[in-house]
Amino acid sequence: MKFTTNIRKNHKHGMRTIFGKMFWTNILTLVIVIVIIGVMLFGLLGNYVNDEKTDVLIRTADAISTSTVALQLKLNLSTGSAERLKYHQEYLSSIDLLSSITESYICVIDEEGGIYGTSTNLSTLSSVPSRIVKLIQMGADVKHFDDFNGHFQSPVLVIGRPIRFNDQVIGGVLICMPTPMLNQAKYEITFLFLISAIITGIIAFFIAFLAAQKITSPLKQMNKITKLIANGDFSHTLQVETNDEIGELALNLNSMAQSLQKLEETRSSFISNVSHELRTPMTTISGFIEGILDGTIPKDNQEKYLQIVLSETKRLSKLVSDMLAVSKMNSQTEPLPMLPFDINEVIRITIIRFEQVIEEKNLEIAAVFEEDSCLVLGDKDSICRVITNLLDNAVKFSDPGRKVVFEVKSDPAIKNKVDVSVYNEGLGISKDEADNIWERFYKTDKSRSKDKKGVGLGLYIVK
């Protein structure tokens, strides 16, 4: 039961994952945009449709006004009642046609406000509100909502235009548009917008899903790889498929894994080297001291073996000193003290300290200086260690009877700098290993047949 509870707590879903955040953020943004566009479209479209409908009704009213004046002129000129009836019926038919086209109700009144003619759908209208008649008689246009004294169940948009003849108002044209008819176009366009929005939302849903999955998939792999790295497995690498920030992060993660793997190999090599370097002299020291104490080693040979013990003790001391130097350099935060000193004098003193080893291997030492004295600016103690380590390597890996050369010269390509070089006549280093000699605990001779004393810290300290 406890195991199940832990799984539920560690399980991530919904907005807690990057995938969920990206996916739902995109969907929410899309919904907000669609809603804003819909509201703006509905409002702007409503005004536009109303204006368009009003404009159509005004033009229709003007057309009816013109036909009414023409009808009145025909009636004044005609003599027979049959002819007058024919003109009137044609007039009413044209009103019905315009009513059908505009989906509206049309009413024509005379100068007294009486009904002169109506469309068929308004034939039951008995009277026109007096407030509308007064506006027409005043020659004013009418545009407001009215229910025509209860004739319509709800207020309708009324567009009224006075009929003028010889600059006199002889009547008026009233066109009524019910609200559902007025908003029909707006509703139809809004419906089409909703359909389009739904289709767009479905497409965007899948696009957002695929985009979020494509972006978060490498992150999931990185998460998996980092867990393996945290557990000490550096063998896995990420496949870099993009050139964006995620691809750069994957490259950096691969580089970090390689560096950690290399560091782990170095650490293992270091433990092996240090263990060997510590075990051998400790065994030697312990064995010789026990031999002296229990009398196994005769008194006349004790001094010889004590010299060996002293040599091994110095060797251990140097190993500890080098390790402490590395630790100090890695943790150092303050800058080194930069003071002037004579680099040539440092080289001379260092050679003198190696005099015994040089004579034992019968080496020839040459110091090539441009001048007897060469003042430089730096940390003298650190440079002394550099010169010591370089000379130690040069002597150690030189064959007996060979030559070691120190050279100090100015560099014409770089002002205010001097080059200090150390050469020997040894076997050399292969190109494959030349780039690795500056790393900690690296030794070209893994079997220690040539270098039995070093642990691979000398050149690292130099660098």
Side-chain angles (χ1 to χ4, degrees):
M1 194 67 182
K2 184 178 179 181
F3 177 71
T4 304
T5 303
N6 288 337
I7 288 180
R8 288 178 181 174
K9 287 183 179 179
N10 294 331
H11 181 64
K12 296 181 179 180
H13 57 83
M15 291 294 289
R16 296 179 60 186
T17 63
I18 294 180
F19 174 85
K21 290 177 181 178
M22 291 186 60
F23 175 75
W24 290 114
T25 299
N26 291 333
I27 294 300
L28 183 60
T29 303
L30 177 65
V31 170
I32 292 174
V33 171
I34 290 177
V35 170
I36 293 175
I37 293 176
V39 172
M40 294 179 62
L41 179 64
F42 193 81
L44 295 175
L45 184 61
N47 295 331
Y48 174 77
V49 170
N50 288 338
D51 293 342
E52 284 295 311
K53 283 287 185 180
T54 301
D55 188 60
V56 170
L57 296 181
I58 290 174
R59 291 199 302 270
T60 302
D62 290 338
I64 295 175
S65 177
T66 302
S67 64
T68 302
V69 172
L71 172 63
Q72 193 61 38
L73 291 174
K74 288 181 182 180
L75 293 177
N76 291 338
L77 295 175
S78 61
T79 56
S81 58
E83 187 177 8
R84 293 166 64 90
L85 179 61
K86 175 184 176 184
Y87 290 152
H88 196 268
Q89 288 179 347
E90 289 177 352
Y91 171 74
L92 294 177
S93 297
S94 65
I95 290 179
D96 279 336
L97 178 61
L98 292 173
S99 173
S100 176
I101 293 174
T102 58
E103 297 181 338
S104 62
Y105 301 86
I106 300 175
C107 174
V108 181
I109 61 175
D110 57 23
E111 64 273 16
E112 300 296 332
I115 297 177
Y116 183 78
T118 65
S119 58
T120 304
N121 55 12
L122 200 58
S123 59
T124 58
L125 181 65
S126 58
S127 63
V128 177
S130 58
R131 54 186 174 276
I132 296 178
V133 174
K134 288 180 181 180
L135 290 173
I136 294 296
Q137 291 173 345
M138 293 170 59
D141 291 338
V142 178
K143 182 182 178 183
H144 66 261
F145 287 88
D146 201 291
D147 61 356
F148 272 67
N149 298 325
H151 181 79
F152 295 102
Q153 294 180 354
S154 60
V156 297
L157 176 64
V158 180
I159 300 296
R161 299 279 282 181
I163 301 174
R164 291 182 173 87
F165 182 69
N166 293 333
D167 294 331
Q168 293 183 354
V169 177
I170 62 173
V173 180
L174 304 175
I175 303 179
C176 305
M177 174 69 70
T179 303
M181 296 293 182
L182 190 65
N183 295 329
Q184 182 178 0
K186 182 168 63 175
Y187 292 146
E188 290 177 355
I189 295 178
T190 302
F191 177 75
L192 292 176
F193 171 77
L194 291 176
I195 295 298
S196 301
I198 292 173
I199 295 175
T200 302
I202 294 174
I203 296 174
F205 180 89
F206 287 103
I207 293 177
F209 180 85
L210 294 176
Q213 190 176 44
K214 183 175 180 60
I215 293 175
T216 57
S217 179
L219 297 178
K220 291 179 180 178
Q221 292 183 0
M222 292 180 193
N223 187 34
K224 181 180 179 181
I225 294 297
T226 53
K227 289 181 179 179
L228 293 173
I229 292 175
N231 292 328
D233 185 359
F234 310 113
S235 60
H236 296 80
T237 57
L238 289 166
Q239 298 296 325
V240 181
E241 299 178 354
T242 60
N243 294 325
D244 53 13
E245 291 84 352
I246 294 180
E248 184 178 358
L249 179 61
L251 288 174
N252 292 335
L253 188 61
N254 288 339
S255 177
M256 182 189 71
Q258 293 174 0
S259 298
L260 289 175
Q261 185 175 14
K262 197 171 184 180
L263 183 62
E264 178 64 18
E265 293 174 354
T266 303
R267 186 186 67 84
S268 300
S269 176
F270 165 71
I271 293 175
S272 176
N273 291 335
V274 171
S275 298
H276 182 274
E277 297 299 332
L278 290 175
R279 184 174 61 249
T280 302
M282 292 300 291
T283 302
T284 303
I285 293 171
S286 176
F288 288 160
I289 291 177
E290 287 179 357
I292 293 173
L293 292 176
D294 62 14
T296 304
I297 299 176
K299 289 186 177 181
D300 55 348
N301 290 333
Q302 287 181 2
E303 183 178 354
K304 171 185 174 183
Y305 288 102
L306 285 175
Q307 288 292 337
I308 297 175
V309 169
L310 178 62
S311 175
E312 294 296 324
T313 304
K314 290 181 179 180
R315 178 182 168 191
L316 289 176
S317 177
K318 184 179 183 303
L319 172 62
V320 173
S321 176
D322 286 346
M323 292 177 63
L324 289 176
V326 170
S327 177
K328 182 179 179 181
M329 286 188 296
N330 290 335
S331 61
Q332 186 172 16
T333 56
E334 297 181 0
L336 295 172
M338 306 294 283
L339 298 173
F341 64 93
D342 187 354
I343 185 67
N344 294 351
E345 183 65 20
V346 170
I347 293 174
R348 293 189 188 101
I349 294 174
T350 304
I351 294 174
I352 292 173
R353 289 209 308 267
F354 278 80
E355 183 177 0
Q356 181 179 353
V357 181
I358 292 172
E359 290 180 354
E360 289 177 358
K361 298 190 72 171
N362 192 26
L363 298 176
E364 179 185 352
I365 301 295
V368 181
F369 301 146
E370 290 184 342
E371 299 178 0
D372 290 339
S373 178
C374 179
L375 288 179
V376 296
L377 187 66
D379 179 30
K380 184 176 180 181
D381 292 338
S382 297
I383 297 300
C384 285
R385 181 179 288 272
V386 169
I387 299 298
T388 299
N389 288 357
L390 290 177
L391 182 57
D392 180 64
N393 269 31
V395 172
K396 186 188 302 180
F397 294 102
S398 291
D399 295 330
R402 293 290 188 170
K403 186 176 182 180
V404 176
V405 180
F406 264 100
E407 185 177 3
V408 178
K409 63 180 181 179
S410 59
D411 188 348
I414 305 176
K415 295 182 179 180
N416 301 324
K417 296 256 184 175
V418 294
D419 281 342
V420 180
S421 305
V422 183
Y423 303 92
N424 72 344
E425 296 178 344
L427 296 176
I429 303 173
S430 66
K431 293 182 179 180
D432 296 336
E433 295 181 325
D435 294 333
N436 298 323
I437 62 173
W438 305 103
E439 297 180 7
R440 286 180 293 179
F441 316 119
Y442 184 82
K443 298 183 67 174
T444 57
D445 181 25
K446 304 298 182 181
S447 65
R448 300 177 175 84
S449 59
K450 299 174 186 176
D451 179 15
K452 296 182 180 180
K453 295 182 179 181
V455 292
L457 287 175
L459 292 183
Y460 174 78
I461 294 174
V462 168
K463 182 181 178 181

